[in-house]
């Protein structure tokens, strides 16, 4: 295998945008272009991730409609079924990212979406614990490549100043899946007994079928690159090349896949720091998303299933609003660490309230505070890390590793809220609180570190590294170049 694998022509063109090109940018045309990208790309990627998240966590809603009793689950078998998905899920993330360009994004994303749609649907016809575990294993294997693939895919079209908000739209999808999933499950649950099937089976089947449709459609809806985007005019494609070319470190070679960049990513301690921070934040994401109905029922055991589902909706709505506001401010100011730490601490306060010996109203308010910080502390670092790795091979490796390690938390999170520890779930809340605080410490340190490096580079203290090097050689250094300024 060669060290370089070819990329779409817009990225591998021998002529990159010059300073004169940058001076000639029509910024009104650029704003119009970004809006056009949003109209054609964002609805598709949002729908893909919404269905992905829905198919992954709907097992929590299925539990409320007789899944455990129907399959004869006992002990911690339900928790095992939830967590086993993450074994194959995390193993598939990095390999999936490495083949994304070679197999073409449209084809690869379409394939894994269609495959998990079939598996998610067939989960509804399983007859025992073994069948459920097998379905969860296969679901994780094909679904694991979606989010890291979409995160890297968006960097093909958006600059680092636009990325946090667009990745944020994926978390809006997750929140919508959490909120609407409860309502949808409640509606479908009324089909209990139709054709002799229990309600949880209909939840799995009817929530899995739409994925098949969007999986096939995404083959045509998702372009592989700006050069092949059916909705862009020739002038807009040229503007896309200029937009990427004006970013520091985004050279012709940097946009190609080099195995040496993959190796550099595997050796970079900064990437592993983000990985362990993501592990802490994702513990909250998976615990909250899967067990929020259980947590709310624990606040007041007299709540009906319908009431529990309805009470989850305002929590997710606040999570969406807070993330969109934080992402917009973060993109505008190019500050990630400050917002990740601040909103992480807000979630920590929420868990402290859930642990307190207080009224049900205080506990429910704690759910809101957790949601307020949840998507910010999980989502912003997923825009922060790729923005600080301009070379494609290292960037795709970084995102794959970040999500692989982060999603390992899904295995642990599945065991944090066993029914035997209800209704307070003190241990689950305490562990999650500790992990959120850990994530805040990591991101606070990286915020400090990147600020120090930027200040040192601004003073010229690292210029000796590039003494005698041509500008083109300096640009090829990527984030190691003294001229590259990290997003903080």
């Amino acid at each position: 295998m060669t060290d370089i694998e070819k990329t779409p022509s817009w990225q591998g063109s021998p002529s990159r945008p010059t300073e004169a090109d940058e001076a000639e940018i029509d910024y009104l045309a650029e704003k119009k272009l970004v809006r056009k990208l949003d109209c054609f790309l964002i609805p598709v990627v949002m729908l893909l991730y919404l269905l992905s998240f829905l198919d992954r966590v709907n097992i929590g809603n299925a539990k409320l409609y007789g899944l455990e009793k129907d399959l004869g689950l006992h002990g911690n078998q339900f928790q095992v079924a939830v967590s086993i998905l993450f074994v194959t899920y995390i193993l598939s993330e990095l390999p999936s990212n490495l083949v994304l360009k070679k197999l073409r994004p449209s084809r690869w994303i379409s394939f894994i979406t269609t495959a998990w749609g079939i598996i998610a649907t067939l989960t509804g016809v399983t007859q025992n614990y073994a069948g459920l575990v097998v379905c969860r294993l296969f679901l994780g294997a094909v679904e694991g490549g979606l989010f890291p693939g979409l995160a890297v895919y968006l960097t093909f079209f958006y600059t680092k100043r636009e990325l946090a908000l667009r990745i944020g739209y994926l978390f809006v999808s997750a929140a919508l899946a959490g909120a609407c999933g409860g309502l949808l499950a409640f509606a479908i649950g009324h089909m209990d007994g139709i054709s002799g099937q229990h309600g949880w089976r209909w939840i799995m089947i009817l929530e899995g079928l739409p994925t098949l449709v969007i999986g096939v459609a995404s083959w045509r809806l998702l372009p592989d690159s700006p050069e092949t985007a059916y909705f862009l005019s020739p002038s807009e494609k040229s503007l896309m090349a200029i937009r990427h070319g004006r970013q520091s470190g985004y050279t012709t070679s940097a946009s190609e896949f080099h195995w040496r960049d993959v190796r550099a990513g595997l050796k970079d301690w900064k990437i592993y720091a983000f990985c362990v921070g993501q592990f802490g934040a994702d513990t909250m994401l998976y615990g909250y998303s899967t067990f929020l109905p259980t947590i709310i029922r624990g606040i007041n055991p007299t709540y009906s299933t319908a009431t529990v589902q309805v009470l989850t909706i305002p929590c997710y709505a606040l999570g969406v609003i807070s993330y969109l506001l934080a992402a917009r401010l973060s993109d505008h100011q190019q500050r990630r660490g400050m917002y990740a730490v601040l909103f992480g601490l807000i979630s920590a306060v929420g868990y402290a309230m859930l642990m307190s010996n207080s009224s049900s109203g205080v506990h429910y308010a704690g759910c809101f505070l957790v949601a307020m910080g949840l998507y910010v502390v999980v989502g912003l670092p997923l825009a922060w890390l790729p923005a600080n790795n301009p070379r494609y091979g290292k960037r795709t490796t970084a995102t794959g590793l970040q999500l692989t390690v982060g999603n390992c938390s899904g295995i642990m999170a599945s065991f944090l809220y066993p029914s035997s520890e209800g209704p307070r779930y003190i241990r689950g809340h305490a562990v999650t609180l500790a992990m959120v605080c850990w994530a805040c410490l990591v991101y606070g340190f990286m915020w400090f570190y990147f600020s120090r490096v930027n200040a040192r580079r601004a003073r010229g203290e690292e210029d000796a590294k590039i003494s005698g090097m041509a500008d083109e050689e300096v640009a090829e250094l990527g984030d190691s170049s003294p001229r590259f300024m990290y997003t903080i």
Side-chain angles (χ1 to χ4, degrees), residues 114-136:
T114 304
W116 102 60
I118 294 171
I119 296 165
T121 302
L122 292 179
T123 304
V125 299
T126 55
Q127 299 299 316
N128 51 44
Y129 173 62
L132 179 64
V133 168
V134 169
C135 285
R136 297 288 290 177

Side-chain angles (χ1 to χ4, degrees), residues 4 30 37 80 104 122 127 160 186 189 208 239 241 243 250 269 309 355 357 376 396 419 423 425 440 454 474:
I4 301 178
E30 185 179 16
L37 293 173
V80 171
R104 294 176 54 180
L122 292 179
Q127 299 299 316
K160 66 179 185 179
F186 175 65
L239 182 55
R243 278 162 43 83
Y250 285 75
W269 70 268
Q309 300 291 7
M355 293 171 61
N357 187 19
V376 179
T396 194
S419 300
Y425 300 103
C440 291
N454 285 352
V474 174

Side-chain angles (χ1 to χ4, degrees), residues 241-261:
I242 294 172
R243 278 162 43 83
H244 281 265
R246 70 187 179 191
Q247 298 184 98
S248 176
Y250 285 75
T251 65
T252 300
S253 176
S255 65
E256 296 171 341
F257 184 93
H258 298 263
W259 281 106
R260 65 175 180 269
D261 290 332

Side-chain angles (χ1 to χ4, degrees), residues 86-352:
F86 292 97
V87 175
T88 48
Y89 189 98
I90 61 181
L91 291 175
S92 66
E93 288 181 298
L94 180 56
S96 177
N97 258 21
L98 295 180
V99 302
L100 179 67
K101 269 191 175 181
K102 188 172 182 65
L103 299 181
R104 294 176 54 180
S106 60
R107 293 181 179 181
W108 181 242
I109 292 173
S110 175
F111 165 73
I112 62 177
T113 303
T114 304
W116 102 60
I118 294 171
I119 296 165
T121 302
L122 292 179
T123 304
V125 299
T126 55
Q127 299 299 316
N128 51 44
Y129 173 62
L132 179 64
V133 168
V134 169
C135 285
R136 297 288 290 177
L137 282 170
F138 278 107
L139 186 64
V142 293
E143 200 174 323
L146 182 72
F147 189 91
L150 291 179
V152 171
Y153 178 74
L154 291 174
T155 67
F156 298 168
F157 296 89
Y158 294 98
T159 68
K160 66 179 185 179
R161 301 190 67 88
E162 303 157 351
L163 197 56
L165 183 61
R166 276 70 195 183
I167 287 181
Y169 290 140
L170 298 180
F171 287 96
V172 171
S173 298
L176 289 173
C180 298
L183 280 180
L184 189 59
F186 175 65
I188 298 175
H190 283 91
M191 295 179 65
D192 186 66
I194 294 179
S195 299
Q197 303 298 321
H198 289 155
W200 74 268
R201 295 188 182 278
W202 288 116
I203 290 173
M204 295 293 189
I205 293 170
L206 295 183
E207 290 184 2
L209 288 174
T211 307
L212 287 170
V213 178
I214 189 62
V216 174
S218 62
W219 185 300
R220 294 292 184 185
L221 294 175
L222 292 178
D224 293 318
S225 68
E227 181 67 25
T228 61
Y230 60 90
F231 53 84
L232 295 181
S233 67
S235 62
E236 289 171 331
K237 292 176 182 179
S238 298
L239 182 55
M240 286 293 298
I242 294 172
R243 278 162 43 83
H244 281 265
R246 70 187 179 191
Q247 298 184 98
S248 176
Y250 285 75
T251 65
T252 300
S253 176
S255 65
E256 296 171 341
F257 184 93
H258 298 263
W259 281 106
R260 65 175 180 269
D261 290 332
V262 175
R263 292 190 289 269
L266 293 174
K267 297 175 182 177
D268 191 338
W269 70 268
K270 298 188 294 297
I271 292 175
Y272 290 102
F274 274 88
C275 288
V276 295
Q278 198 69 39
F279 183 92
D282 281 1
T283 300
M284 172 171 58
L285 174 67
Y286 288 115
Y288 190 82
S289 300
T290 303
F291 293 101
L292 181 60
T294 302
I295 293 169
I296 292 178
R297 173 162 282 175
I299 293 173
N300 190 334
T302 64
Y303 286 154
S304 66
T305 298
T307 301
V308 168
Q309 300 291 7
V310 170
L311 289 175
T312 65
I313 297 173
C315 299
Y316 286 115
L318 179 62
V320 168
I321 294 169
S322 64
Y323 184 88
L324 291 178
L325 291 175
R328 184 171 291 277
L329 286 171
S330 176
D331 273 344
H332 178 71
Q333 299 174 356
Q334 282 299 282
R335 289 181 175 272
R336 310 294 194 210
M338 178 178 71
Y339 290 104
V341 172
L342 175 62
F343 280 84
L345 292 176
I346 291 173
S347 287
V349 172
Y351 276 107

